[in-house]
Amino acid sequence: MRGRGLERLLAQETNVSDLIQFLSDRDPAPWEPLVGFVPDDLVREVSAANNADLLLTAGSKSAVIEVKLGHLMSAQQQDKYEALDPDLDLYLAALGADEVRLSEVSDRWKFLSLSSLFSGWESSQDELARSLAREAATLLKEWDRIISGVLETGAAEGGLQLDELKQKFLARVVTRRLVKELHSRGYMAVAGVTSGGGLPIIKAWAPIRGEGEDRTFIAEVRWRDNKPGGELRFGVDFDPRPGHKEDEEVRRAAYDLAHSMEHDIDHQALHVRLTEDRSDLGEALSRGKSSRPTARGDWEAVIVHGLKGAPMKDGGRNTRRRTTPAFYGDGALRFQAISDIDFSRVSAQDLVDLIDLTLNHLSSTEPEQSMS
């Protein structure tokens, strides 16, 4: 149970940056092999440097260190950094698995592994810096090991299971890597967090027959809070045509497709398919209750007028909690079933296979005349 308090501290990016500044004040020498100079000064959140986590300076030399754990560097944030003086060196300091993110940014950026960064103080002449750095580096190396373990192989081949990811931000790092794998398999995919709860989520889409990115099947995996495992949501997910707003046509098209596939957008149907193709994934999926809700309210009114345009009799706002078809989902264009995932039975690579097989299940069961 060693390091529990430190684990909570280092799970916050601001705390990581503060600790780096503290170690640097005690002994700046470890920076030389990392950035090529020993800083005379190291400051936090400098407005003139895009509020950088850390700005290192020594005479005419300077470097920005952007620390990331669970969060992404947005395109806007990246552009602001790259608009700074071209002589300013840019470094992304993150867990080892995020090094691949440098392929998505300009070649101005260099990568610093956080565990290697803290290891630089393990041989410091300053006793306090040496002791703190050793504890931090040990924990960061363990996080790197866990992430690598869940990413490398499937659980059946000895890979670590997803329930080893005890911190939410570790799962976020993993889901970002899985997006690249899903892209390589030809899917649209994004990683993010649930609104409100900040729980990791990964989504992938496959266009329905003859359509593009606005009319798709969806498979998404969501982590759960305060209980083990996660959930797989799968079904139909439409958007308005490019340049158009949501209207009755797209709402009806989405619902009609989902309704025509109600026996396939269902846990039992998916479970049968998985059991045939990958019995280990079938065993990891379960559902103790119905995988879809009971219809409630006047969904036809929603199709015609939209959720906002179909007010309740009491004058209240209409939502999917008050009016729902026999599917889970958000808004008026997403229709899904839910299966529970036992994270003690699957690795991250298994999760990619699960999403892949789920989208294949939906695509292969799409009716021949699903779109008018």
Side-chain angles (χ1 to χ4, degrees):
M1 305 301 286
R2 174 183 174 183
R4 287 182 298 177
L6 184 61
E7 185 176 62
R8 288 191 293 273
L9 285 171
L10 293 186
Q12 301 294 323
E13 290 172 1
T14 54
N15 293 343
V16 175
S17 300
D18 287 341
L19 182 55
I20 293 172
Q21 184 181 44
F22 178 81
L23 296 175
S24 301
D25 287 346
R26 303 286 299 192
D27 180 8
W31 280 109
E32 185 167 23
L34 298 172
V35 300
F37 63 92
V38 177
D40 296 327
D41 194 18
L42 185 150
V43 290
R44 296 267 287 112
E45 303 290 346
V46 181
S47 58
N50 193 35
N51 294 314
D53 289 323
L54 299 159
L55 176 64
L56 288 64
T57 56
S60 62
K61 297 180 180 180
S62 57
V64 157
I65 313 295
E66 178 65 21
V67 176
K68 291 295 184 186
L69 281 174
H71 299 92
L72 283 169
M73 180 166 57
S74 69
Q76 183 181 27
Q77 186 181 31
Q78 177 189 329
D79 290 343
K80 287 183 177 179
Y81 274 129
E82 293 172 9
L84 297 174
D85 188 332
D87 293 329
L88 181 65
D89 293 329
L90 304 177
Y91 291 87
L92 174 66
L95 294 172
D98 267 339
E99 185 171 5
V100 297
R101 289 163 63 186
L102 291 194
S103 64
E104 303 169 354
V105 299
S106 79
D107 56 10
R108 281 192 63 184
W109 291 86
K110 300 175 184 177
F111 184 77
L112 288 176
S113 160
L114 282 172
S115 60
S116 297
L117 175 59
F118 279 94
S119 290
W121 278 274
E122 289 189 274
S123 57
S124 172
Q125 296 301 307
D126 185 277
E127 183 177 355
L128 177 57
R130 186 171 64 248
S131 177
L132 282 173
R134 184 180 299 118
E135 292 296 326
T138 297
L139 177 58
L140 290 161
K141 288 174 184 176
E142 175 65 7
W143 286 346
D144 281 337
R145 182 193 69 81
I146 292 171
I147 291 172
S148 177
V150 299
L151 284 171
E152 286 182 354
T153 58
E157 289 76 40
L160 293 180
Q161 294 93 343
L162 286 174
D163 64 350
E164 294 286 336
L165 302 173
K166 308 299 185 186
Q167 299 272 9
K168 287 190 292 186
F169 73 86
L170 295 180
R172 293 174 197 162
V173 174
V174 168
T175 56
R176 290 198 292 267
R177 284 288 299 272
L178 297 189
V179 164
K180 291 184 173 293
E181 176 66 23
L182 287 163
H183 285 166
S184 72
R185 299 192 187 192
Y187 295 116
M188 300 171 282
V190 297
V193 296
T194 56
S195 59
L199 297 170
I201 183 171
I202 183 168
K203 303 178 183 181
W205 296 268
I208 68 171
R209 189 180 302 114
E211 290 289 343
E213 296 183 3
D214 52 26
R215 305 202 172 195
T216 63
F217 293 117
I218 183 173
E220 58 178 308
V221 174
R222 302 183 178 204
W223 267 249
R224 287 179 171 148
D225 200 10
N226 299 324
K227 54 176 140 179
E231 62 183 39
L232 170 70
R233 297 190 177 199
F234 59 100
V236 169
D237 188 28
F238 280 21
D239 284 317
R241 298 294 192 191
H244 291 73
K245 296 181 179 180
E246 180 186 312
D247 58 16
E248 180 181 350
E249 185 276 330
V250 67
R251 288 191 290 266
R252 193 172 298 281
Y255 176 72
D256 284 352
L257 177 57
H259 181 66
S260 71
M261 296 179 64
E262 61 182 2
H263 298 298
D264 304 300
I265 303 175
D266 181 82
H267 165 75
Q268 189 57 40
L270 177 63
H271 190 265
V272 169
R273 171 71 180 273
L274 290 175
T275 301
E276 293 173 352
D277 294 343
R278 280 281 302 272
S279 60
D280 58 320
L281 293 182
E283 292 171 358
L285 234 60
S286 64
R287 189 66 178 173
K289 57 183 178 181
S290 175
S291 62
R292 300 206 320 268
T294 301
R296 181 175 64 253
D298 186 358
W299 190 254
E300 176 62 23
V302 172
I303 291 177
V304 175
H305 303 290
L307 279 169
K308 291 183 179 179
M312 307 300 293
K313 291 182 179 180
D314 62 5
R317 180 173 172 235
N318 207 347
T319 68
R320 281 288 283 257
R321 290 183 179 273
R322 304 190 70 181
T323 304
T324 183
F327 298 90
Y328 292 105
D330 304 304
L333 301 177
R334 186 176 295 177
F335 304 92
Q336 298 171 296
I338 295 178
S339 294
D340 302 311
I341 310 172
D342 183 350
F343 278 179
S344 71
R345 291 177 174 265
V346 292
S347 73
Q349 288 301 317
D350 294 326
L351 216 57
V352 173
D353 292 339
L354 175 61
I355 290 172
D356 189 1
L357 287 168
T358 300
L359 290 172
N360 272 314
H361 162 72
L362 294 169
S363 296
S364 66
T365 54
E366 179 186 350
E368 287 295 330
Q369 300 296 325
S370 61
M371 298 294 296
S372 58

